[in-house]
Amino acid sequence: MLPRAVATISAAALSHNLRLLSGRAGVPLILPVKANAYGHGLEEVVQIAAPLPEVWGFAVALPQEAVTVARLNTGKPVLLLTPAAPEEMAELARLGVRIPIGTAAELAALPPEAKAHLKVDTGMNRLGARPAEALDLGRELARRGQLEGLYTHFASADEPDPSGALRQFEAFLAVRRHFPDALAHASNGGGVLSFGPLDSMTMARPGLASYGYAPEHLSGVLDLQPVMTLQGRVGAVHTALAGEQVSYSGLWTAPRDTRVATVQVGYADGYPRSATLQAQVWVQGERRTVLGRICMDQMMVDVTGLDVNPGDYLTLWGPQGIHPGEVARWGGVVEYELLTGLSARVARQVG
Ligand SMILES: *Cc1c(COP(=O)(O)O)cnc(C)c1O
């Protein structure tokens, strides 16, 4: 069957962003591909990125994601970013997945053949060992020959004030200095854009930036390009007469006879319902208004004066026309939510 929502992933844009970010960080990248590669399609993104010399490996949030990426056999390492359950560790180790260690219990469950990345909590207060305990865990991992790397995560590197992240980095360096031979990584996308190279780091982990988005105040640092174009198929076109209402709850009344294209994408695909009465769609080089309530599977678009027909695909967002950041703002969400919220109904294709 023909897909109604299609996300086209630009291999050129992704490669371009990864080159720029690696250049800015001064080190290779661990590309975060959690949450279906920020909605872009896990397999598609991994296949594009794996051959690039700028990519050291891939980072995932879930053990299941780690298994999926490891089984793609790209030859590049996979790092799990959240704790594995003890009973999951053997399979992860067998697949060569790098396992995060942030507690003594996790260390105790670590299979002897596994490579570990020590997780240091320097202020995010989410995962990892505080610096003093991290030293002990790191020494034990090093003694066993299992300490491949260590890392920390910034809580506010994408905020205009970088002081918190820099304090975190100082705390991380104090641990890092004890393990000079290990790999080390700290920056997410905000860190890479804000700070560029950081003392003695060997990798960086920019996620959202790799997919083409920068926080407003950092948007001039690199020429990042949105990787995804989302399009929706027109199912039908009809005329709503002046005075008629369109969609649920009568939120919009036609001020004049209006040509209406019904696009077969809705909030079940991940287009935010909360963008109702603000959303626009890019049609033949023009911004056109979404009329009334966005439905579960459809939305109605004013195409008056345009030659739009069933089977046409209209662009809901992309690098040209309507930026995904605008859609996120209309919906009251951030780009992370917009992209990761795209559902399994959305077909991913590489373009
Ligand atoms: C998600 C994540 C990243 C990437 O963050 P961005 O803000 O998308 O750059 C990096 N490191 C860890 C530990 C993460 O969980």
Side-chain angles (χ1 to χ4, degrees):
M1 296 300 133
L2 298 172
R4 270 42 184 173
V6 180
T8 303
I9 307 311
S10 165
L14 180 61
S15 306
H16 165 90
N17 295 339
L18 296 174
R19 262 194 304 279
L20 290 184
L21 287 160
S22 175
R24 167 112 185 127
V27 289
L29 308 177
I30 306 179
L31 177 61
V33 292
K34 54 194 181 183
N36 200 20
Y38 289 56
H40 290 65
L42 179 59
E43 219 177 301
E44 289 81 356
V45 165
V46 168
Q47 301 293 10
I48 295 166
L52 302 177
E54 292 85 0
V55 173
W56 178 85
F58 298 98
V60 295
L62 303 184
Q64 186 53 57
E65 296 170 336
V67 169
T68 302
V69 180
R71 290 201 177 132
L72 294 175
N73 281 318
T74 64
K76 298 257 165 120
V78 180
L79 169 67
L80 179 62
L81 293 171
T82 65
E87 56 270 44
E88 295 167 332
M89 285 199 186
E91 185 181 358
L92 292 171
R94 193 174 54 72
L95 289 167
V97 172
R98 277 54 171 182
I99 297 176
I101 295 296
T103 68
E106 289 162 12
L107 177 58
L110 187 70
E113 71 278 17
K115 291 182 180 170
H117 284 225
L118 174 66
K119 177 66 190 285
V120 188
D121 183 4
T122 56
M124 177 74 177
N125 252 307
R126 184 170 70 175
L127 288 174
R130 298 293 171 94
E133 193 197 350
L135 262 184
D136 293 339
L137 294 175
R139 288 196 176 109
E140 180 58 20
L141 282 167
R143 193 187 63 75
R144 299 185 191 178
Q146 293 184 276
L147 183 69
E148 181 179 53
L150 64 161
Y151 70 109
T152 194
H153 188 50
F154 295 143
S156 55
D158 54 359
E159 305 287 341
D161 177 3
S163 56
L166 289 172
R167 269 197 305 278
Q168 283 191 261
F169 186 64
E170 287 308 313
F172 182 58
L173 266 188
V175 179
R176 197 280 188 272
R177 288 196 188 97
H178 292 268
F179 307 103
D181 301 329
L183 302 173
H185 41 108
S187 278
N188 52 5
V192 171
L193 292 169
S194 298
F195 306 133
L198 283 176
D199 180 16
S200 84
M201 294 301 102
T202 64
M203 286 99 88
R205 306 184 309 271
L208 192 66
S210 300
Y211 302 99
Y213 310 96
E216 187 74 39
H217 69 284
L218 296 169
S219 60
V221 176
L222 294 177
D223 174 31
L224 299 173
Q225 300 171 2
V227 169
M228 180 192 294
T229 301
L230 182 69
Q231 293 182 301
R233 187 174 189 274
V234 175
V237 182
H238 73 284
T239 299
L241 299 175
E244 290 180 348
Q245 296 174 338
V246 171
S247 195
Y248 291 120
S249 308
L251 301 181
W252 187 83
T253 304
R256 63 189 75 80
D257 291 0
T258 302
R259 207 63 190 144
V260 177
T262 300
V263 177
Q264 294 167 286
V265 176
Y267 60 81
D269 300 279
Y271 196 99
R273 180 177 182 273
S274 47
T276 290
L277 297 186
Q278 296 185 72
Q280 298 176 330
V281 170
W282 190 247
V283 190
Q284 297 169 8
E286 293 182 19
R287 288 173 174 266
R288 287 307 183 98
T289 305
V290 176
L291 304 173
R293 178 76 77 204
I294 293 164
C295 309
M296 182 187 294
D297 317 293
Q298 302 170 86
M299 65 178 82
M300 279 65 89
V301 179
D302 181 349
V303 295
T304 305
L306 299 176
D307 183 22
V308 171
N309 298 291
D312 290 355
Y313 282 83
L314 308 186
T315 300
L316 307 182
W317 67 65
Q320 271 91 44
I322 291 169
H323 192 276
E326 283 183 89
V327 181
R329 268 195 303 286
W330 295 329
V333 296
V334 294
E335 281 103 330
Y336 292 92
E337 290 171 273
L338 184 74
L339 295 165
T340 61
L342 286 178
S343 77
R345 296 213 300 204
V346 179
R348 273 78 174 179
Q349 67 178 30
V350 175

